[in-house]
Amino acid sequence: MDEEETGGKPIMAKPSPSLFRYNSPLVQVILIGLVCFCCPGMFNALSGMGGGGQVDPTAANNANTALYTTFAVFGVLGGGIYNILGPRATLFAGCSTYVLYAGSFLYYNHYQHQSFAIVAGAFLGVGAGLLWAGQGAMMTSYPPPDRKGIYISLFWSIFNLGGVIGGLIPFILNYHRGDNAASVNDGTYIGFMVFMSIGTVLTLAILHPRKVVRDDGSSCTNIKYSSVSIEAVEILKLFLNWKMLLMVPAAWASNFFYSYQFNNVNGALFDLRTRGLNNVFYWGAQMIGSVMIGYLMDFSFKSRRMRGLVGIGVVALLGTGIWGGGLANQLRYSRNDKPMRLDFKDSGSAFAGPFVLYFSYGLLDAMFQSMIYWVIGALADDSETLSRYTGFYKGVQSAGGAVAWQVDSHKVPFLNQLIANWVMTTVSYPLLAALVLLAVKDDHKVEGEANSKGADFSPAIPASIDEK
């Protein structure tokens, strides 16, 4: 059977039926989920404590500004780098920077010099751009077109389990420390570094996309190594691509709220050990939210376009309710009038409302971002195109994050930050709905199929580097 008959993708010998076949899309998505469990999952747990585990968030804010600034650049470039180097080299280089970042806060615990943390943050931005571009390409191109929501939710659940476990580390290790402690203890940072090192090694188990075969015998993609000149041109084209421009507000908003939620809700309202416990539930809520939206966007209606619109509508309604609850909570305190910090054991019923709100923020974050990934995945099928799309998304997202951390560093009132987050997410919903109406096809004839036909790039690196 030739490629014209199979949508531009070669059909190989039908693989043996096995749930855990190593070169199956399912196993490879699970593997990248485990990598992200260990690296960005633990990073999320570290950031979610507010101030990177420090009572004074200044060092963490400045490190995160450096991180998201370089992430904005390498998020966009990451898709091209992934297409040139392949997954193993790209993901290994990206994950190694997470260990350095956690180590910088271990150093800060002893010397209180934030320069190392800022430099490590800048390196992490480069590494995160590489990691997330590769992850996005795999997660959106490997699944069958009618199961992308489920695969995204599977990845998101494994990834955020890292945040759950990572939240337990500071909770357990700092359980008996008083609220007057200036930071979490050294063991907390060492624990994060151990997990991040394991994740870095796991990247070596990731196969090249052309080695991954679906159960029907079709290859997920037939791309070969691209070249620097091709990727440079294709990346520049993204800034004139109307589909990507419609996605800019959602991408910008999707990490903008972290500084507010981590520092000004979790960090401002709860004591040290309770912040760790809250993160267990925040990232646990992400697992629940990703499964909910993944099921809805794969199985709610026969029409793929209708599933997308319904998913966006549900997230919009839920988001309006949660941000409305956040407004009611925020009116009770301000940057210059913070309440006494809450403890999960000693604060009684006063703990319940803010805790439920923080849990809900985690639920909404997963649903919002999983929805965006589903929309990206519906725009193309091949990993070459999707690596660029997801790289563009992560780049814009990170630019928003860089601005958000500096907004908090400049002591912008908490209420202003909440309103800005609510407005930005609200503006993104109708634009995403327009993108689904205009670009998502029900017959799966998407851009990536056309692009993948005849796509045969000569290797831009020596054949000896090719992943076997």
Side-chain angles (χ1 to χ4, degrees):
M1 192 178 297
D2 62 28
E3 293 186 15
E4 193 69 32
E5 298 177 69
T6 60
K9 296 178 182 179
I11 295 291
M12 303 178 179
K14 192 170 183 178
S16 58
S18 173
L19 184 61
F20 296 109
R21 177 170 49 86
Y22 182 59
N23 66 336
S24 71
L26 176 64
V27 168
Q28 292 299 305
V29 168
I30 290 174
L31 279 173
I32 191 63
L34 290 172
V35 168
C36 290
F37 166 99
C38 292
C39 293
M42 294 298 153
F43 167 82
N44 284 345
L46 175 60
S47 296
M49 290 185 295
Q54 307 288 319
V55 169
D56 181 357
T58 303
N61 283 351
N62 291 333
N64 280 320
T65 300
L67 188 165
Y68 285 106
T69 299
T70 54
F71 196 170
V73 176
F74 280 85
V76 175
L77 298 178
I81 295 171
Y82 172 84
N83 289 339
I84 294 169
L85 299 181
R88 285 182 186 165
T90 305
L91 297 176
F92 184 86
C95 285
S96 61
T97 60
Y98 283 84
V99 185
L100 179 68
Y101 182 80
S104 73
F105 279 92
L106 178 62
Y107 174 87
Y108 185 82
N109 242 10
H110 291 272
Y111 300 103
Q112 302 296 302
H113 297 153
Q114 60 176 296
S115 300
F116 183 21
I118 293 172
V119 172
F123 276 110
L124 178 54
V126 175
L130 301 181
L131 170 61
W132 283 105
Q135 172 273 335
M138 295 170 63
M139 189 176 67
T140 53
S141 67
Y142 285 7
D146 60 346
R147 291 294 180 269
K148 293 196 176 188
I150 293 300
Y151 274 66
I152 290 170
S153 67
L154 173 64
F155 163 82
W156 210 262
S157 296
I158 297 172
F159 157 49
N160 283 300
L161 184 60
V164 172
I165 302 300
L168 286 173
I169 293 173
F171 174 65
I172 294 171
L173 295 180
N174 298 278
Y175 185 85
H176 295 293
R177 304 180 80 207
D179 192 41
N180 59 347
S183 68
V184 296
N185 61 14
D186 288 355
T188 302
Y189 296 118
I190 293 171
F192 287 142
M193 293 173 69
V194 169
F195 274 103
M196 291 170 175
S197 299
I198 293 171
T200 303
V201 174
L202 271 178
T203 62
L204 301 177
I206 301 293
L207 293 177
H208 191 275
R210 69 168 178 265
K211 305 284 189 180
V212 183
V213 181
R214 295 189 178 126
D215 290 340
D216 63 0
S218 63
S219 174
C220 291
T221 179
N222 63 350
I223 70 163
K224 297 181 181 180
Y225 286 116
S226 184
S227 68
V228 174
S229 59
I230 289 172
E231 292 305 320
V233 171
E234 293 302 321
I235 288 171
L236 289 174
K237 286 180 180 178
L238 294 175
F239 293 92
L240 299 176
N241 186 323
W242 63 271
K243 300 174 188 175
M244 296 296 99
L245 296 179
L246 283 176
M247 195 174 293
V248 165
W252 184 275
S254 60
N255 266 188
F256 201 91
F257 45 69
Y258 280 156
S259 61
Y260 171 76
Q261 292 174 2
F262 294 162
N263 286 354
N264 306 330
V265 179
N266 198 29
L269 295 181
F270 303 96
D271 66 13
L272 198 61
R273 67 177 183 179
T274 305
R275 281 148 61 181
L277 178 66
N278 288 349
N279 272 334
V280 172
F281 287 92
Y282 181 93
W283 301 112
Q286 298 244 354
M287 297 169 67
I288 298 170
S290 65
V291 171
M292 289 168 56
I293 196 66
Y295 185 87
L296 180 68
M297 299 189 84
D298 271 355
F299 298 110
S300 57
F301 291 90
K302 184 176 180 180
S303 164
R304 181 162 66 164
R305 184 183 290 119
M306 180 59 68
R307 295 197 305 269
L309 293 174
V310 169
I312 293 168
V314 168
V315 175
L317 288 173
L318 186 65
T320 300
I322 291 173
W323 283 114
L327 176 62
N329 178 71
Q330 186 57 73
L331 292 174
R332 296 170 42 246
Y333 69 101
S334 67
R335 186 180 290 277
N336 298 319
D337 184 24
K338 296 178 184 176
M340 182 178 294
R341 282 193 167 94
L342 300 168
D343 183 85
F344 77 101
K345 286 185 66 177
D346 302 330
S347 298
S349 60
F351 168 75
F355 169 78
V356 171
L357 173 65
Y358 192 64
F359 177 91
S360 300
Y361 280 145
L363 189 78
L364 179 61
D365 178 25
M367 296 183 74
F368 187 74
Q369 293 208 58
S370 295
M371 171 193 70
I372 297 171
Y373 271 114
W374 185 94
V375 173
I376 294 173
L379 299 178
D381 272 345
D382 68 289
S383 65
E384 178 193 13
T385 301
L386 288 171
S387 67
R388 300 183 190 121
Y389 283 2
T390 54
F392 181 87
Y393 165 65
K394 297 302 292 188
V396 175
Q397 178 189 69
S398 302
V403 172
W405 288 104
Q406 275 306 293
V407 165
D408 193 53
S409 288
H410 284 78
K411 311 300 182 185
V412 172
F414 293 167
L415 181 60
N416 293 9
Q417 292 188 43
L418 181 144
I419 292 172
N421 282 306
W422 193 355
V423 168
M424 285 188 290
T425 53
T426 301
V427 166
S428 69
Y429 298 128
L431 297 178
L432 287 174
L435 180 58
V436 169
L437 284 170
L438 295 172
V440 174
K441 308 299 183 184
D442 286 330
D443 58 5
H444 308 313
K445 291 179 181 177
V446 292
E447 177 185 330
E449 293 180 353
N451 288 348
S452 64
K453 292 179 182 181
D456 187 5
F457 302 121
S458 299
I461 55 177
S464 60
I465 301 180
D466 190 7
E467 295 173 38
K468 305 300 181 185

